[in-house]
Amino acid sequence: MGLNIDFAFDVGDQEKHRVEFHWGQFFGRVRITVDGVEVVQHNRPQMFRSSARRVFAFSVGQQETHDVVIEKISPRFLGGARKQKCNAFVDGELVGEY
């Protein structure tokens, strides 16, 4: 259907990390990896969910730690069958809208 969301961004200055996000429209599966290691996996159909906002928060880095928040916003009615929006934040600052 072309409604999947896939994006990636880098985190850190001295200690670099790659955060990748995937949301599969068909099954509602969320997968988030940092440097290829899965940090979040969540399976839940989105078709009739009452909550329009899901937030995934985690820390990235060892010596240089950053707080990452990915917010997925969906329309309330038939949200899983409609276009979704994601915002990515690092240390409270918006780094991307997808």
Side-chain angles (χ1 to χ4, degrees):
M1 289 174 109
L3 299 177
N4 292 349
I5 300 174
D6 290 291
F7 62 87
F9 57 94
D10 295 318
V11 175
D13 296 316
Q14 302 300 319
E15 184 182 337
K16 301 258 187 217
H17 298 281
R18 182 80 170 165
V19 175
E20 297 181 22
F21 178 92
H22 169 76
W23 176 74
Q25 185 271 339
F26 190 71
F27 289 111
R29 180 177 186 227
V30 172
R31 184 170 188 260
I32 302 172
T33 61
V34 176
D35 300 331
V37 177
E38 191 167 77
V39 295
V40 173
Q41 178 180 325
H42 197 261
N43 294 322
R44 182 179 297 171
Q46 295 286 311
M47 191 64 72
F48 298 105
R49 283 189 47 121
S50 59
S51 176
R53 183 174 175 260
R54 290 175 59 195
V55 176
F56 303 94
F58 51 95
S59 294
V60 174
Q62 300 292 323
Q63 310 296 345
E64 179 186 341
T65 306
H66 297 279
D67 295 321
V68 176
V69 175
I70 298 176
E71 171 186 64
K72 189 173 84 53
I73 304 165
S74 61
R76 284 202 177 269
F77 182 69
L78 296 176
R82 297 171 60 197
K83 185 152 177 66
Q84 314 278 309
K85 176 184 175 185
C86 280
N87 296 318
F89 301 87
V90 175
D91 297 330
E93 184 177 321
L94 181 67
V95 296
E97 296 178 293
Y98 308 93

